[in-house]
Amino acid sequence: MIKLDKAVKKYKVDNKDLLALNYLDLILEENCFVAIVGVSGCGKSTLLNVIAGYDKIDYGYYYFNNKDVNKFSKKEKSKLIKNIGVIFQDFNLLEYLTVKENILLATRYMNSKKDLLKVAKKLDILDILNKYPSQLSGGQKQRVAIARCLITNKKIILADEPTGSLDKDNAIKIMEIFKKLNDEGIAIVIVTHDENIASRCKKIIRMENGRVVN
Amino acid sequence: MWLIKEVFYQRKRHYLTIIASCIAIVLVLLVNIISSFIIENVNLSFEQLGLNISCIQLLEKRNDNWIDSVIEIYDIRKYSSYKKIQGRDYKVIGCNSNLSKVFTFNFERGHFLTPTGNRYNDNQIVIGSKLKHYFNCYQLNDFINFNGITFQVVGILEKDNYNLYEDFDDCIFIFEGYVKDYTQSGLYFVSNKVFDESYISELLGEDNYFFIDQRQTKDSLIALLNLIRNVLLALSFVSVVVSIICIVNNSLSNIYSRMKEIGIKKALGASNEDIYRQFILESILIFLISIVISCLIVLAIIKLINLTTKNEVEIDFVSNIKYITLILIIASSCNIYPAKKASEITIIETIKNNEFS
């Protein structure tokens, strides 16, 4: 489903080129449950941004469903972004919208949508639908962020340190949700530096200096 | 609903925009409403004073035919004459529906006009204040004898009549049916048409008449007032421009402080057009709110003016719609640039800005 072939992403730091992705090769299969681990600055988040379609590589190839993303038009790029759900460490919920409105926000820009109540029930957030993000715990916020991905039928969910702001119990709960979603056919890619979290995934990819090392 | 909620949440960022646009809109509306009121009132006062007519006062009678020629050419229906009453000259001024407006106000006692249907009663009369002693008439509806004709006194002109004609105290005002009897030594001619001064000059001799073109006076005053209004409107539109610069600046800074929101929406699938549309709709909504607030402020100010000056300035928002629409269009189109800027922000920019994740 996702293939990166000799992908290079450079950043300029103090007038020097820094290779965030250093001729990286990666294949992510459909319905995968992968953890990408590595130390800070190894290129995990850059890889996530590239896969999500937020950033583009400077060299190499990125194939999504066997199509070269580098050759994507604006419309196709937008479609790619719409196909991939991203979950962040700090949840990125809009404070002025209720949980329900935050979840439905995604449906404003997409045609396909699932039943809100079904999604809410699945993530155990039925009773907080009318609350505002400021009234929620970290675990609840992250479940709302997941619900926001699910409401528009995403087939891939990328999560950047999804448990980084959560306590152990909530982190485990979130990982259980991810596992459940993966069982239902959704590909999950988690970027983390927490080995315990990574061990709950089916596959672990280690990164060092912008490359996959295992 | 989303839009209202978003605008309400971001209200602190919009205060400056709302204040700036309110100042501009209030200024434009006030200038237009008040100057329209002044112009309308000047117009009305002129009409009430009979100044919508031209007037010529003869200083010397030249020949017997001139009255007829002038009457014929200028459609003169009413005129006045001096009449000697016991060795003293009194002006007798006939009036028609135009000239009569001179006398319909500033009367302390009664009304000059007692219309019966659309006609005035021919044997009624109004006398100047000095003449009440002469005719021994101190109350309305008394009958007096003037030149062998009995008139009912329907008005007594008291002092302090602010008229174009200086002293009406020694005037007798009679109605159409009797005016003809006093035309032989006529002095005043009034007409709804503009006098051709060169013709009058040729007809009467250069120094034998005094020409008052009241319409000209009125027109030049109205033109002056219109000019003042337009200058003030132009000045208030300058304030609109200043406000718009302030609004654009504010909108631009708003965009950079709302990068996180833009990033989240784009990550959820919002296209550039979605973001662009949102910012444009927001600006329209903000200006609509500003217009409502401005109208309320204008309403309050006008009420206050009416209360303190005892005027009756009418607020006609409908006639100001063109200005309001113009401001709305200018202001909204000025937000095109900030909206375009917002729509061009990429997700990665918001991430790098450390606002997004």
Side-chain angles (χ1 to χ4, degrees), chain A residues 11 49 54-55 74 78 81-82 84 88 90 92-98 101 104-106 108-110 132 148 154, chain B residues 2 5-6 9-10 258 260-261 264-272 274-275 278 346-348 351-352 355-357:
Chain A
Y11 289 115
N49 291 336
Y54 299 163
D55 213 350
K74 255 189 178 178
S78 162
I81 292 173
K82 284 180 183 178
I84 300 173
F88 294 90
D90 58 356
N92 281 325
L93 301 176
L94 293 177
E95 293 296 319
Y96 57 91
L97 299 180
T98 61
E101 288 164 339
L104 290 176
L105 181 66
R108 272 166 81 177
Y109 311 112
M110 290 185 73
Y132 284 89
R148 200 168 55 180
K154 308 277 190 200
Chain B
W2 291 84
K5 206 160 183 179
E6 272 162 7
Y9 179 74
Q10 308 283 352
R258 289 173 68 182
K260 179 178 178 177
E261 178 196 336
I264 291 172
K265 285 180 177 170
K266 283 206 162 183
L268 290 173
S271 63
N272 285 7
D274 289 325
I275 302 294
Q278 181 201 324
T346 61
I347 303 172
I348 204 73
I351 292 171
K352 281 178 185 166
E355 289 273 341
F356 186 40
S357 68

Side-chain angles (χ1 to χ4, degrees), chain B residues 285-304:
Chain B
L285 183 67
I286 288 163
F287 282 108
L288 286 175
I289 292 168
S290 306
I291 285 168
V292 172
I293 294 172
S294 305
C295 288
L296 291 175
I297 293 171
V298 168
L299 207 71
I301 292 174
I302 297 293
K303 287 250 175 210
L304 197 71

Side-chain angles (χ1 to χ4, degrees), chain B residues 156-343:
Chain B
I156 300 171
L157 217 65
E158 297 295 344
K159 284 189 176 175
D160 300 325
N161 287 294
Y162 299 101
N163 294 294
L164 184 73
Y165 309 104
E166 275 179 5
D167 64 327
F168 282 149
D169 290 346
D170 54 358
C171 288
I172 295 167
F173 306 97
I174 60 172
F175 296 97
E176 190 168 13
Y178 290 98
V179 169
K180 288 179 189 120
D181 297 337
Y182 307 106
T183 57
Q184 296 311 307
S185 54
L187 268 181
Y188 285 94
F189 290 85
V190 291
S191 169
N192 285 321
K193 292 183 179 174
V194 179
F195 286 115
D196 178 356
E197 202 171 348
S198 60
Y199 174 77
I200 300 281
S201 172
E202 195 186 312
L203 192 75
L204 306 175
E206 212 169 298
D207 298 324
N208 288 332
Y209 66 94
F210 176 61
F211 191 85
I212 314 163
D213 192 344
Q214 297 157 344
R215 259 187 300 238
Q216 228 170 45
T217 315
K218 185 186 86 170
D219 288 348
S220 53
L221 186 58
I222 296 288
L224 181 70
L225 287 171
N226 269 322
L227 179 74
I228 293 170
R229 174 173 63 178
N230 292 338
V231 168
L232 286 175
L233 270 176
L235 284 176
S236 33
F237 267 97
V238 169
S239 83
V240 172
V241 172
V242 172
S243 304
I244 283 166
I245 293 168
C246 168
I247 288 160
V248 170
N249 190 34
N250 190 39
S251 303
L252 278 173
S253 67
N254 266 353
I255 285 160
Y256 294 109
S257 56
R258 289 173 68 182
M259 274 182 104
K260 179 178 178 177
E261 178 196 336
I262 295 167
I264 291 172
K265 285 180 177 170
K266 283 206 162 183
L268 290 173
S271 63
N272 285 7
E273 288 72 32
D274 289 325
I275 302 294
Y276 178 78
R277 199 180 307 120
Q278 181 201 324
F279 275 80
I280 288 289
L281 287 174
E282 266 185 31
S283 70
I284 291 174
L285 183 67
I286 288 163
F287 282 108
L288 286 175
I289 292 168
S290 306
I291 285 168
V292 172
I293 294 172
S294 305
C295 288
L296 291 175
I297 293 171
V298 168
L299 207 71
I301 292 174
I302 297 293
K303 287 250 175 210
L304 197 71
I305 290 173
N306 284 345
L307 216 69
T308 49
T309 63
K310 287 176 184 168
N311 273 313
E312 281 179 18
V313 182
E314 281 178 14
I315 308 162
D316 183 11
F317 286 119
V318 178
S319 67
N320 283 293
I321 275 180
K322 59 182 175 188
Y323 295 111
I324 293 172
T325 315
L326 187 68
I327 293 170
L328 187 68
I329 291 170
I330 295 172
S332 302
S333 44
C334 283
N335 262 318
I336 288 175
Y337 176 68
K340 201 166 182 317
K341 275 268 169 201
S343 70

Side-chain angles (χ1 to χ4, degrees), chain A residues 3-14:
Chain A
K3 185 181 173 189
L4 286 158
D5 185 10
K6 293 185 176 50
V8 174
K9 181 71 198 172
K10 286 185 236 175
Y11 289 115
K12 280 241 184 259
V13 180
D14 298 332

